[in-house]
Amino acid sequence: MLIRKPSMIPSSEITPKEVYGNRRKFMAAAAATAGLAALTGERLVHPAVEVAAATKLPTVKSPLSTAGLTPTAYKDITTYNNFYEFGTDKGDPSRNAGHLQTYPWNVKVEGLVAKPQTFSIDELVKLRPQEERVYRFRCVEAWSMVIPWVGYSLSALIQQCQPLSSARYVQFLTLDDPRQMPEMSQVNINWPYSEGLRMDEAMHPLTLLTFGLYGETLPNQDGAPVRIVVPWKYGFKSAKSIVKIRFVAKQPPTTWNEMASNEYGFYSNVNPDVDHPRWSQKTERAIGAPIWKQRQPTLPFNGYGDQVASLYAGMDLKKNY
Ligand SMILES: Nc1nc2c(c(=O)[nH]1)N[C@H]1C(S)=C(S)[C@@H](COP(=O)(O)O)O[C@H]1N2
Ligand SMILES: [Mo]
């Protein structure tokens, strides 16, 4: 998503060859350490990722899980990533994030809130039963996946902290540690990565405070130890490795909107009728699907319109893209 760099070409146009190359290297390395696991039958453990071994997260089923979807393979979810703190190629995060120290970890809740407090990751994990939620996931670069996330509604945490009535937005700030994320300095981004939601969006039950995927703690490249997932919005709204949740009165500055506001709006609801200035959003490429099934239509609100469209009643979604 960088501006004026060759890497800004939509990934849908450049990835197949690159990813294939990366994956071959990855598989060769992984074969040496033979990390086969049971979940998908084809899961390989990246040598670097072994440092932060995945831990099982017992889950309960959730009525908010999207029925009828086949999850994308674990291997694709964990080797085809956007996490610019670890590099801009899709294969960089899985190669570079393995040594990120994700424990101990604290999340500070601050701003316009009656009970500002700092949660340890253990406290956060235990706050509510962990649910498995299969969601569609749609990147602004016109690729998509289906991911069996593990977490609970962000609203549970928000209620616990009691925001003041003056709090109209929630800002998420993510880890800013160039020592652990040396690739940060290679891109011209104003770190830390910042994202935000309107309060009603943050309180919507689909908005997931996310601790895992495929029944285990998040791999570092997917935003360990805790991230946000907002399934009806483009992927960049789903901030990874968050350390701060701030309640604010005004729409907070957000990373991609700051970088190029004409390309990445604050709302960023998935919308086939609003093209990115440099590519169409009418269709998307389903990562990992057979080649003849990869192109599929983009769904308004990524398929969650029944549940979320009312949040935007009366708003011009072409203007508020
Ligand atoms: N901290 C941080 N969070 C981030 C990003 C990032 O670069 N840094 N990239 C975003 C983008 S553009 C996408 S598409 C998703 C990708 O999540 P995934 O790699 O787990 O699929 O993470 C989002 N969250
Ligand atoms: Mo993205």
Side-chain angles (χ1 to χ4, degrees), residues 64-76:
L64 294 173
S65 195
T66 313
L69 300 176
T70 305
T72 304
Y74 184 92
K75 184 181 62 171
D76 288 321

Side-chain angles (χ1 to χ4, degrees), residues 1 77 80-85 137-141 143 145 147 149 174-175 191 193 213 221-223 227 234-241 256:
M1 284 163 67
I77 296 173
Y80 190 90
N81 298 100
N82 275 333
F83 200 163
Y84 273 26
E85 288 88 331
F137 189 85
R138 173 59 155 79
C139 177
V140 73
E141 298 161 310
W143 53 265
M145 297 189 186
I147 306 184
W149 299 111
T174 84
L175 185 69
W191 304 109
Y193 194 90
L213 56 84
Q221 60 269 35
D222 287 280
R227 68 177 294 173
Y234 291 122
F236 66 87
K237 297 298 291 182
S238 296
K240 292 176 165 182
S241 303
W256 284 105

Side-chain angles (χ1 to χ4, degrees), residues 7-319:
S7 60
M8 275 313 282
I9 302 162
S11 63
S12 51
E13 257 120 69
I14 55 167
T15 44
K17 214 162 127 241
E18 278 194 0
V19 168
Y20 183 64
N22 291 343
R23 193 162 296 156
R24 295 229 358 219
K25 262 185 256 153
F26 156 69
M27 303 230 299
T33 49
L36 280 169
L39 276 171
T40 63
E42 58 175 26
R43 177 175 162 192
L44 292 167
V45 176
H46 190 291
V49 175
E50 286 181 339
V51 177
T55 309
K56 266 208 167 311
L57 274 175
T59 61
V60 298
K61 293 273 169 228
S62 169
L64 294 173
S65 195
T66 313
L69 300 176
T70 305
T72 304
Y74 184 92
K75 184 181 62 171
D76 288 321
I77 296 173
T78 57
T79 58
Y80 190 90
N81 298 100
N82 275 333
F83 200 163
Y84 273 26
E85 288 88 331
F86 291 109
T88 56
D89 287 344
K90 297 291 182 268
D92 283 344
S94 62
R95 273 193 297 269
N96 299 331
H99 294 277
L100 175 68
Q101 186 125 15
T102 59
Y103 194 91
W105 189 278
N106 291 323
V107 176
K108 190 174 182 205
V109 179
E110 62 179 29
L112 303 170
V113 62
K115 291 182 168 177
Q117 55 196 301
T118 297
F119 293 88
S120 72
I121 190 65
D122 293 325
E123 290 169 328
L124 268 191
V125 166
K126 282 187 263 176
L127 194 69
R128 282 291 183 285
Q130 296 284 335
E131 301 169 24
E132 174 165 282
R133 299 247 192 112
V134 178
Y135 282 164
R136 294 186 196 85
F137 189 85
R138 173 59 155 79
C139 177
V140 73
E141 298 161 310
W143 53 265
S144 69
M145 297 189 186
V146 173
I147 306 184
W149 299 111
V150 177
Y152 53 77
S153 295
L154 174 66
S155 61
L157 174 63
I158 294 180
Q159 274 156 1
Q160 178 95 1
C161 301
Q162 299 174 16
L164 308 179
S165 58
S166 52
R168 303 210 28 242
Y169 293 86
V170 189
Q171 182 178 17
F172 307 98
L173 293 155
T174 84
L175 185 69
D176 183 5
D177 187 353
R179 193 182 50 86
Q180 291 198 75
M181 303 160 139
E183 297 81 6
M184 286 173 78
S185 60
Q186 291 163 19
V187 287
N188 186 28
I189 287 177
N190 188 13
W191 304 109
Y193 194 90
S194 164
E195 257 309 331
L197 296 170
R198 222 169 52 187
M199 188 61 81
D200 58 343
E201 299 176 320
M203 285 298 291
H204 193 281
L206 283 176
T207 301
L208 194 69
L209 190 62
T210 307
F211 301 88
L213 56 84
Y214 266 112
E216 296 180 348
T217 51
L218 286 168
N220 293 349
Q221 60 269 35
D222 287 280
V226 59
R227 68 177 294 173
I228 300 294
V229 173
V230 194
W232 71 92
K233 293 179 179 282
Y234 291 122
F236 66 87
K237 297 298 291 182
S238 296
K240 292 176 165 182
S241 303
I242 60 176
V243 294
K244 229 174 250 179
I245 298 178
R246 186 183 284 163
F247 294 91
V248 295
K250 288 197 198 124
Q251 185 177 302
T254 55
T255 295
W256 284 105
N257 184 245
E258 266 191 335
M259 295 288 286
S261 60
N262 61 320
E263 303 191 9
Y264 312 107
F266 176 81
Y267 283 93
S268 285
N269 295 317
V270 175
N271 191 341
D273 298 330
V274 177
D275 287 340
H276 185 279
R278 289 180 284 123
W279 59 85
S280 166
Q281 296 290 23
K282 287 241 174 318
T283 63
E284 62 194 35
R285 188 167 64 93
I287 302 295
I291 217 90
W292 63 92
K293 280 199 206 158
Q294 279 193 0
R295 274 283 147 205
Q296 57 189 34
T298 301
L299 302 173
F301 297 106
N302 204 24
Y304 299 97
D306 287 355
Q307 294 160 83
V308 302
S310 62
L311 297 177
Y312 311 101
M315 264 176 77
D316 181 345
L317 296 176
K318 294 208 160 128
K319 251 165 87 189

